[in-house]
Amino acid sequence: MIRSPLRDLTSRDLLAASAALLLVLAAVLIGRHIEETDHTLFANWPPLWASWEPHVGPGTPAAVTVALGVVAYGPVLAARLPWRALLGASWAGAMAWIWSLALIDGWHRGVAVRLTTRYEYLQVIDRFHDIPATLRDFTRHIPLDSPDHWPPHVAGHPPAASLTFVLLDRIGLSGGGWAGAWCITVGATACVAVLVTVRRVADEESARRAAPFLVLAPAAVWMGTSADAYFAAVAAWSIAALALAVTSPKGPRTRAAAFTSGLLFGLTCYLSYGLTLMAVIGAGVLFLGRSRVRVLPCLVSRAAFLAAGLAVVPVAFALAGFDWWEGYHVLVARYYDGAGGIRPYGYWVWANLACTVLITGLATAAGLRRAVVALVRGRHGLLPHRGIRGPGVVRRVPGAESPEAGARARLGLLVLCGLLALLVADLSGMSKAETERIWLPFAMWLLPACALLGRPRVWLGAQAVLALLLNHLLLTGW
């Protein structure tokens, strides 16, 4: 008798996935009604910023091939490959998945012009001919009623986002094609950073089980091509470097990791105002690694290097004349002067979560349920052993079922810190619509919850089908 793969899927997993699917259905039906009657959502296919346009393209065969390959061989390769080879394979797999999905819309529409529209960063390249002067004057052009006000995405972010594409242009990588390739190539490394972090604060088995889900994430539909994919990678590496800093023995590499974490987190805050919430995930990493740095000299040393790195980007921009706080407050005023002041909070505060389901998949909804259960059951095993170095080492304590229970609990805490950051962003009211793109940096930290699921191929198949349907039935944009 052939055993059904559904036998290893608990009814509670299926119930969680079904509830997530119903949330999406409700957001679509209610959103369409609101938009057709009140026209206040400013989204053609709510809750997504997209339009209904069934199509295929040159990326279709590649996307189907990548999906089948990861579903069939991903879990086995993740379990057997040497760790460094797994990281390289994950990056390559994520790039293949993102590129193939992007090319379903064709090179021109799917990649080359995505960052050249009137909303995007490449529209302002010529206005940065004098970078210091532009930075000093940056905030003045944020308000909608200002002369030559910035396009929405430029105004909505600190200037490090725009400067990235200005510098690419300066070194000869000009145009939408190079900008798109940059975002995909760098953005695909986010999955590697998450794997490094999971291995350090939970264990290697959890990271290996999470790898195929990070590669085959439905979020790839929006990572190609979006600047938020690049932001997600920078933010993820700041957390990964922090995990390395707090779980490694003292030495030059540990201090370098602490400095790098601070440097990248500072850059993250100057790429997107909202990504200051990555500090919530960072706090979770510090909690999980705190037993490794209880010796006061180690704590002081790592904190000093972290603070030194954190100061670099803010000091550089302050000396150049850009005030982050002033820019944020002016942006809030512009946000409510525009569509943000019209879009109903009462719809988007929960419809944004439906967008999160679409970028993380039904598997993640089931995984989050298991993350809560794992955290509750294994909460006594949250601390790694103080005297043994290396990732994935746990201690046996009363109340913990096993070392594996402690690892699952730590993974659950990390994932739920990502969920908490996302919920704070949601409740703030500064994220109404387009969260399928804006929340990519948070979504990457929900995906490891899938490591807790049984029958990974079944769930991977569900993830792949969702992404392929989204990309073939809808024309996504922003």
Side-chain angles (χ1 to χ4, degrees), residues 12-346:
R12 292 178 181 178
D13 289 338
L14 296 176
L15 182 61
S18 299
L21 187 59
L22 289 174
L23 177 66
V24 172
L25 182 61
V28 172
L29 296 178
I30 296 174
R32 289 184 65 84
H33 174 73
I34 294 174
E35 184 62 15
E36 289 172 1
T37 56
D38 297 340
H39 308 289
T40 56
L41 299 185
F42 296 94
N44 292 333
W45 205 85
L48 298 177
W49 182 267
S51 56
W52 180 263
E53 188 177 322
H55 62 286
V56 296
T60 297
V64 173
T65 301
V66 171
L68 291 175
V70 175
V71 171
Y73 301 106
V76 174
L77 290 175
R80 295 180 180 177
L81 284 175
W83 176 249
R84 291 187 179 181
L86 174 61
L87 295 181
S90 297
W91 183 23
M95 278 205 295
W97 182 231
I98 298 170
W99 272 112
S100 60
L101 288 173
L103 291 174
I104 290 171
D105 297 334
W107 166 256
H108 180 75
R109 188 169 66 172
V111 179
V113 301
R114 284 294 179 105
L115 295 169
T116 65
T117 68
R118 62 190 181 92
Y119 300 105
E120 287 286 0
Y121 305 97
L122 269 62
Q123 288 290 323
V124 301
I125 296 294
D126 294 340
R127 294 175 62 177
F128 279 79
H129 61 277
D130 185 341
I131 292 177
T134 304
L135 292 179
R136 287 193 298 270
D137 209 32
F138 189 88
T139 302
R140 191 170 69 87
H141 296 289
I142 294 176
L144 277 173
D145 58 0
S146 64
D148 297 324
H149 61 260
W150 297 119
H153 290 185
V154 177
H157 297 81
S162 300
L163 271 179
T164 299
F165 300 101
V166 171
L167 295 176
L168 284 175
D169 182 78
R170 294 283 176 90
I171 64 173
L173 304 180
S174 58
W178 282 113
W182 166 267
C183 292
I184 291 173
T185 303
V186 176
T189 68
C191 75
V192 179
V194 175
L195 291 177
V196 169
T197 306
V198 171
R199 180 174 183 254
R200 284 284 173 165
V201 302
D203 65 352
E204 186 169 313
E205 181 182 355
S206 296
R208 289 179 176 276
R209 288 178 61 86
F213 290 95
L214 283 158
V215 169
L216 210 59
V221 173
W222 291 273
M223 295 184 81
T225 305
S226 164
D228 293 85
Y230 157 54
F231 304 162
V234 175
W237 280 110
S238 73
I239 301 298
L242 181 63
L244 292 171
V246 299
T247 60
S248 300
K250 63 180 181 179
R253 292 186 177 181
T254 302
R255 293 191 290 271
F259 181 85
T260 301
S261 176
L263 179 67
L264 291 178
F265 182 69
L267 176 58
T268 297
C269 294
Y270 278 75
L271 290 171
S272 174
Y273 295 105
L275 292 188
T276 53
L277 289 172
M278 294 301 295
V280 175
I281 304 173
V285 169
L286 287 174
F287 175 82
L288 291 170
R290 70 191 189 278
S291 67
R292 307 281 185 94
V293 289
R294 283 185 175 177
V295 179
L296 186 59
C298 291
L299 177 62
V300 172
S301 173
R302 297 178 202 200
F305 277 89
L306 180 68
L310 182 59
V312 172
V313 174
V315 168
F317 275 97
L319 292 175
F322 174 74
D323 186 325
W324 190 95
W325 281 105
E326 181 186 5
Y328 174 72
H329 288 301
V330 175
L331 169 64
V332 172
R334 169 167 171 162
Y335 181 74
Y336 285 102
D337 285 341
I342 300 173
R343 284 171 169 156
Y345 180 86

Side-chain angles (χ1 to χ4, degrees), residues 45 48 50-55 105 222 358 469-476:
W45 205 85
L48 298 177
S51 56
W52 180 263
E53 188 177 322
H55 62 286
D105 297 334
W222 291 273
L358 293 174
L469 286 175
L470 286 170
N471 219 140
H472 282 93
L473 295 179
L474 300 174
L475 181 62
T476 58

Side-chain angles (χ1 to χ4, degrees), residues 364-384:
T364 302
L368 286 173
R369 185 202 69 81
R370 290 205 177 198
V372 173
V373 173
L375 181 57
V376 172
R377 290 181 177 175
R379 60 190 181 279
H380 299 293
L382 287 175
L383 291 178

Side-chain angles (χ1 to χ4, degrees), residues 371-407:
V372 173
V373 173
L375 181 57
V376 172
R377 290 181 177 175
R379 60 190 181 279
H380 299 293
L382 287 175
L383 291 178
H385 194 286
R386 194 187 303 181
I388 301 178
R389 298 170 180 172
V393 180
V394 298
R395 65 174 183 174
R396 297 296 295 270
V397 295
E401 296 180 0
S402 65
E404 291 76 18

